[in-house]
Amino acid sequence: MIPAGRPFPGSRGASFAQNLSRNLNTAPGLEKSHKQPASLKDSSQYPVKAKVSPQKLIERYMNGESDAVSLLHQLARVFQFHLEMKETIASDVPPPLPLKEESCVGGSCHNRPSYEAKVPVNMQIPHAVRAQLTRLMSFHPEFSGCADTIAAFVIQAGSECKVVALGTGGFNTRENISSNGRILHDSHAVVTARRSLMRYLYRNLLMFYSKNPTLSQQSVYQHKSNSNFLCLKSGISLHLYVNMMPKGAAVIPSKLYLNPLSISAWKVSNEIGLHLMVEGKLVSVFSSEVENLAFKVVSMSTADKITQWQVIGYQGALLSHFIEPIYAQSILIGDSCCSEVRGMEFSVCQRMEGVTSQLPMFYCMMRPLISLVPSVANCTPSSNQLTHCINWSEGDSTLEVVDGLEGKTVEESPFKSGTTLASRLCKAAMLHRFKLVAKEAERQDLLVASSYREAKRMAKPYQEAKSVLRAYLCQKGFGSWLEKFSVSDNFSK
């Protein structure tokens, strides 16, 4: 999040018309009307022979210097054959570009595919979120009006689903960028829930490195063979629930047919490209309004952030020093106003298709199962709590209430960290937990970091994955990611 007065690259990378054409050509029922002359074909479709020998590539893989996916792509270049891998953890997923289907005449559609019917919906997850929200509100009913917009992370182990992090809210702070790390600049529900998840992950790291065997056993982590990083125990998976469709490219208008004959390519580009959140308003990165956002706090849209986290993980840079990337296996949307998830499928999955081969080891584009489920929050916002945001994670004695416009804890909050009213989700609090874990893990190399920014930069694979992702989005014509304002990370405690 940065003031938008900084220069913003306007390059769209690849032509959007080219990207749209490629996607439409692969959609079911669409065929090319003519063959392209060989001389005009895109040379990027044909691999260039690599100079490294196959034996050397296999040795790197056996030594743990690359992963299996990267090895396959490298061997494809060596032997000059076309390799196409579907980056998915689930079968029966929608086509590369989700097309809006025409309405059926007479109520009969014999040839119409039904993707939603093939996606399993775990009804335990919304039930678990509702139960946890009800429990928290029963202790503090005066804040029930803050729970109209909610996001939650759920850990599933076997048949048991447990809410481990929860957040509400929908605001950016109106304050200037903080240089001491004690202001929350983005309090949207998914962001609040994700930072609460990070607190949960830190707490489990402290348990894992504890000298108490019982606590260590209760942690969600385990050592991974041939790796210095920890990973989630076998059989444990992470799921994301949101009760509103994330703002941004996930919200494709009902009349937007992704077809060049029905709408201009420019209009489509604005709809499915990257977006910014400015004072509660959604703005395309291609909009002329971007030039008039000087001195305002700006953040990327929720849909774009989820797209990023499904590639680089939800754990963030600091936790990446200790654990492998953690991805959501499913994203459940409890929005009663939504009837389809094609926009979310495109935003999170199709936009990043093909990026895995360029990512460092352990990182990939994790395609989640996306489905509609019942809503768990039917609260009407209280007029005097419209800007209030709630956060909670497993292990917390009570919830914390933050004023999203101020970026600080409110005086009436059941939990307050101190007289400064800095939230337990702020960057300074995260740096404190990072240092505690580094000390318990006896990682002296991490304790020498001079600032929050330096500690993040030291997570080189994570930073490389983030750079690859953002360059990939720009190259594919979805726009440039807004870079963070560096002064906000230049604090040491």
Side-chain angles (χ1 to χ4, degrees):
M1 177 177 316
I2 69 169
R6 300 188 68 195
F8 186 73
S11 173
R12 296 172 182 251
S15 165
F16 179 80
Q18 293 174 351
N19 290 326
L20 184 62
S21 176
R22 281 198 296 269
N23 282 324
L24 287 174
N25 286 336
T26 60
L30 295 176
E31 297 182 356
K32 295 181 180 179
S33 59
H34 63 276
K35 292 186 177 180
Q36 192 179 28
S39 61
L40 297 179
K41 290 182 178 179
D42 185 358
S43 62
S44 64
Q45 296 179 2
Y46 299 90
V48 178
K49 189 169 183 178
K51 297 181 180 180
V52 183
S53 68
Q55 293 79 8
K56 186 65 175 178
L57 294 175
I58 294 174
E59 286 178 9
R60 291 178 181 174
Y61 169 71
M62 297 300 291
N63 293 333
E65 298 176 14
S66 67
D67 55 32
V69 175
S70 298
L71 174 64
L72 289 175
H73 283 281
Q74 292 165 348
L75 290 175
R77 289 196 291 269
V78 171
F79 292 108
Q80 294 184 287
F81 65 85
H82 179 68
L83 175 66
E84 183 174 348
M85 297 180 66
K86 193 68 176 177
E87 297 175 350
T88 178
I89 61 169
S91 59
D92 300 320
V93 294
L97 187 62
L99 300 175
K100 180 69 174 180
E101 304 212 18
E102 299 288 352
S103 58
C104 302
V105 179
S108 175
C109 286
H110 299 293
N111 298 322
R112 181 174 181 174
S114 177
Y115 299 109
E116 290 78 9
K118 298 180 181 180
V119 179
V121 177
N122 189 341
M123 297 305 293
Q124 286 181 290
I125 292 177
H127 176 75
V129 176
R130 179 186 292 275
Q132 181 59 41
L133 180 63
T134 300
R135 189 183 72 83
L136 290 173
M137 292 300 99
S138 67
F139 290 115
H140 303 285
E142 68 273 22
F143 295 111
S144 60
C146 307
D148 61 313
T149 304
I150 182 175
F153 285 94
V154 178
I155 287 288
Q156 184 174 19
S159 59
E160 181 184 1
C161 291
K162 180 172 63 174
V163 178
V164 297
L166 181 149
T168 73
F171 294 90
N172 286 342
T173 178
R174 61 189 174 193
E175 299 292 320
N176 292 328
I177 291 296
S178 169
S179 60
N180 61 11
R182 286 169 170 77
I183 295 291
L184 286 183
H185 296 292
D186 189 341
S187 294
H188 288 84
V190 174
V191 177
T192 301
R194 185 246 180 174
R195 296 187 73 81
S196 296
L197 172 68
M198 293 165 67
R199 295 185 64 244
Y200 169 79
L201 296 175
Y202 273 119
R203 184 176 289 120
N204 275 264
L205 277 176
L206 290 173
M207 292 168 61
F208 182 87
Y209 291 116
S210 169
K211 302 299 187 293
N212 185 325
T214 302
L215 282 178
S216 182
Q217 182 62 31
Q218 292 174 355
S219 169
V220 296
Y221 300 115
Q222 66 180 13
H223 278 297
K224 185 170 183 179
S225 58
N226 303 324
S227 172
N228 294 325
F229 297 99
L230 302 179
C231 64
L232 293 179
K233 289 179 178 176
S234 177
I236 292 181
S237 58
L238 180 71
H239 305 267
L240 170 62
Y241 170 88
V242 294
N243 80 320
M244 291 186 66
M245 182 66 75
K247 294 182 179 180
V251 186
I252 295 181
S254 59
K255 295 183 179 180
L256 179 60
Y257 295 79
L258 300 185
N259 185 316
L261 299 179
S262 63
I263 197 167
S264 69
W266 177 86
K267 174 69 180 226
V268 175
S269 182
N270 277 358
E271 295 290 354
I272 68 177
L274 298 175
H275 288 78
L276 307 174
M277 290 300 300
V278 188
E279 297 179 343
K281 182 181 179 181
L282 194 67
V283 179
S284 167
V285 296
F286 299 128
S287 171
S288 59
E289 293 183 52
V290 173
E291 300 176 359
N292 302 320
L293 300 180
F295 308 113
K296 293 182 179 180
V297 175
V298 182
S299 64
M300 299 302 298
S301 74
T302 302
D304 294 332
K305 288 188 174 184
I306 293 177
T307 299
Q308 174 176 257
W309 294 331
Q310 285 298 130
V311 174
I312 65 178
Y314 288 81
Q315 74 290 334
L318 297 186
L319 280 163
S320 296
H321 287 290
F322 310 100
I323 63 177
E324 290 185 2
I326 294 180
Y327 303 102
Q329 303 298 313
S330 68
I331 299 176
L332 308 179
I333 303 168
D335 192 333
S336 58
C337 297
C338 293
S339 59
E340 60 183 9
V341 295
R342 69 192 185 106
M344 193 67 177
E345 286 278 1
F346 184 81
S347 174
V348 175
C349 305
Q350 276 77 30
R351 288 197 300 184
M352 298 310 303
E353 194 72 61
V355 74
T356 294
S357 62
Q358 302 179 29
L359 296 169
M361 193 171 184
F362 301 125
Y363 291 86
C364 67
M365 191 283 283
M366 181 64 72
R367 180 189 294 268
L369 293 173
I370 302 175
S371 56
L372 297 174
V373 296
S375 176
V376 304
N378 300 313
C379 305
T380 302
S382 172
S383 59
N384 62 340
Q385 296 177 350
L386 286 175
T387 65
H388 288 186
C389 315
I390 293 172
N391 70 76
W392 172 90
S393 65
E394 187 189 53
D396 290 340
S397 58
T398 186
L399 53 83
E400 179 185 66
V401 183
V402 173
D403 188 323
L405 291 182
E406 301 297 331
K408 293 184 178 182
T409 307
V410 300
E411 287 285 356
E412 317 87 69
S413 173
F415 175 87
K416 291 191 288 289
S417 59
T419 56
T420 62
L421 298 180
S423 170
R424 58 190 178 189
L425 301 185
C426 70
K427 293 179 178 180
M430 295 297 176
L431 179 61
H432 175 70
R433 295 184 187 93
F434 168 75
K435 291 180 177 179
L436 285 178
V437 172
K439 183 178 180 180
E440 291 296 320
E442 299 180 353
R443 292 288 304 273
Q444 298 299 320
D445 57 315
L446 300 179
L447 292 172
V448 300
S450 60
S451 65
Y452 179 79
R453 180 187 183 189
E454 181 62 23
K456 290 173 61 176
R457 293 181 64 180
M458 289 168 64
K460 296 189 182 301
Y462 177 88
Q463 297 298 342
E464 179 186 349
K466 186 166 66 173
S467 296
V468 167
L469 172 141
R470 296 179 180 183
Y472 193 83
L473 283 168
C474 186
Q475 175 192 351
K476 292 296 182 180
F478 297 113
S480 299
W481 195 279
L482 204 61
E483 294 295 332
K484 288 184 177 180
F485 196 44
S486 59
V487 73
S488 64
D489 293 345
N490 287 338
F491 61 92
S492 57
K493 61 181 181 178

